Amino acid sequence: MKKITFVLTFLLSIFGYSQIISGEIFNQDKKPISGARIGIENTDFGDLSDENGNFQIDLTNFDKNSSLKIYVSEFQPYNIKISDLLNSDRKIVLTEKVINIEPININPKKYKFKNFGTSNSKTNYCGYDSENKDRLFREYAIKVENKKHLKIKRINVNIVDDSFINSATLIFDIQGSKNGFPDDQKSLTNETLKLTFSKNDIKNKMISLDVSEQNIWTNEDFFVLVRVDENLKGRLYFGGNIFAFSKDTYYRNYFGKWNKFSTGEPSINVDVQIEK
């Protein structure tokens, strides 16, 4: 009898310890938000909300004082302690982000057009393969050092391996820096920047996203971030320069800590309108 009681207690403790939870994400109008990234801060573990705003995440092995982070470009980043989430109804409402941009009268004599970043369409540098699921949530970034007032007009990426099926989607963000790394709290965009393309859209091994209507202005250093939509089927690899000794590659998995690889940079670059 004692043995049976012990086994039942042991099994109950296992099931009781399991913390797979579900939740919903909405905007302030109670409309579901799809494609939100939900993860444990400083880890590469998480989920994405579906078209109905639903998500599921296993919190079993995480400290209840850890933070759950939710990020969508056009909303304020959301953080909540796991213990608080477990005691809530798990219906999360995100607040829309408002970026105030001062009206600027552009004088052509005071502005010029430049390109920042790396352009290399020959060398296979980094990217994604749907056979390697762990890499589908990797995010890459380049840093642009800047002290002048500029507007980001276009984001360009060199593609050297386009062995994907049907189409692929890249998701971009422009962020300020904190301690020399990208900072989700300093996103300069007020909507998700997505580019869905087919192989026929790749011209001279390059795809581009026009963001001139987004009014992305800054007078500080900034980062250009890129990740692939997790529905990719096949391979998608960026070009890069492994001999760019003065530049760095920044990368993270999900909401893990940003890492920096020196002496190289993926072929991500931006066209800007910059003050002379």
Side-chain angles (χ1 to χ4, degrees):
M1 185 67 179
K2 289 183 178 179
K3 184 176 181 180
I4 294 175
T5 302
F6 173 78
V7 171
L8 288 173
T9 302
F10 177 72
L11 291 175
L12 286 172
S13 68
I14 293 176
F15 290 120
Y17 185 62
S18 178
Q19 292 287 344
I20 300 175
I21 67 161
S22 299
E24 300 172 90
I25 304 176
F26 304 93
N27 64 16
Q28 292 172 299
D29 295 326
K30 303 302 181 183
K31 294 181 180 179
I33 298 174
S34 63
R37 285 191 290 168
I38 306 99
I40 310 302
E41 195 166 24
N42 295 326
T43 76
D44 55 2
F45 184 84
D47 190 23
L48 293 170
S49 61
D50 64 18
E51 64 273 12
N52 298 311
N54 298 314
F55 70 90
Q56 188 176 78
I57 189 167
D58 186 352
L59 303 176
T60 302
N61 296 317
F62 292 101
D63 188 318
K64 299 306 180 286
N65 290 317
S66 298
S67 291
L68 184 90
K69 183 173 183 176
I70 299 175
Y71 184 77
V72 190
S73 293
E74 58 264 46
F75 295 89
Q76 296 288 351
Y78 183 93
N79 287 274
I80 185 172
K81 285 175 62 174
I82 289 178
S83 58
D84 293 336
L85 179 70
L86 294 174
N87 292 324
S88 72
D89 61 4
R90 298 160 199 172
K91 296 182 184 295
I92 297 170
V93 178
L94 300 185
T95 302
E96 288 189 19
K97 180 171 57 182
V98 178
I99 298 178
N100 295 318
I101 301 174
E102 296 181 5
I104 296 176
N105 296 320
I106 299 176
N107 184 340
K109 295 181 180 180
K110 293 184 179 180
Y111 285 83
K112 59 183 176 180
F113 295 93
K114 292 191 69 174
N115 179 274
F116 293 116
T118 293
S119 178
N120 185 320
S121 60
K122 297 179 180 179
T123 304
N124 189 326
Y125 188 80
C126 63
Y128 305 93
D129 187 337
S130 59
E131 294 297 319
N132 188 344
K133 298 296 184 182
D134 293 337
R135 286 292 184 91
L136 283 181
F137 291 101
R138 174 157 289 188
E139 190 167 23
Y140 296 98
I142 65 164
K143 182 179 182 180
V144 177
E145 295 183 352
N146 170 57
K147 301 301 177 187
K148 294 185 177 181
H149 202 61
L150 63 78
K151 178 182 180 181
I152 299 171
K153 305 279 288 183
R154 186 182 297 271
I155 304 172
N156 310 300
V157 180
N158 286 121
I159 306 294
V160 296
D161 186 344
D162 56 6
S163 305
F164 57 84
I165 300 172
N166 297 324
S167 65
T169 298
L170 292 178
I171 303 170
F172 300 93
D173 199 2
I174 309 294
Q175 296 183 3
S177 64
K178 180 180 180 181
N179 299 325
F181 289 94
D183 184 5
D184 291 333
Q185 298 286 339
K186 296 181 179 179
S187 174
L188 303 180
T189 66
N190 56 11
E191 66 178 74
T192 301
L193 305 178
K194 282 188 176 183
L195 177 62
T196 299
F197 57 96
S198 68
K199 296 179 182 180
N200 292 332
D201 295 320
I202 302 173
K203 307 299 182 183
N204 297 319
K205 296 188 176 182
M206 185 177 75
I207 54 98
S208 298
L209 176 64
D210 188 341
V211 296
S212 56
E213 294 185 358
Q214 307 304 318
N215 278 326
I216 305 173
W217 290 88
T218 185
N219 56 4
E220 299 177 346
D221 295 348
F222 63 93
F223 289 87
V224 183
L225 288 66
V226 61
R227 60 187 175 92
V228 73
D229 185 276
E230 78 282 0
N231 293 318
L232 175 75
K233 303 297 182 185
R235 298 192 307 274
L236 177 65
Y237 279 85
F238 307 145
N241 189 348
I242 60 175
F243 301 112
F245 297 109
S246 62
K247 297 184 178 181
D248 304 295
T249 299
Y250 299 82
Y251 64 95
R252 69 174 175 179
N253 289 331
Y254 225 78
F255 288 129
K257 292 182 178 180
W258 281 100
N259 298 284
K260 182 171 69 172
F261 173 76
S262 299
T263 68
E265 187 173 63
S267 55
I268 303 167
N269 59 86
V270 289
D271 297 324
V272 305
Q273 184 172 344
I274 187 170
E275 193 174 42
K276 288 185 178 180

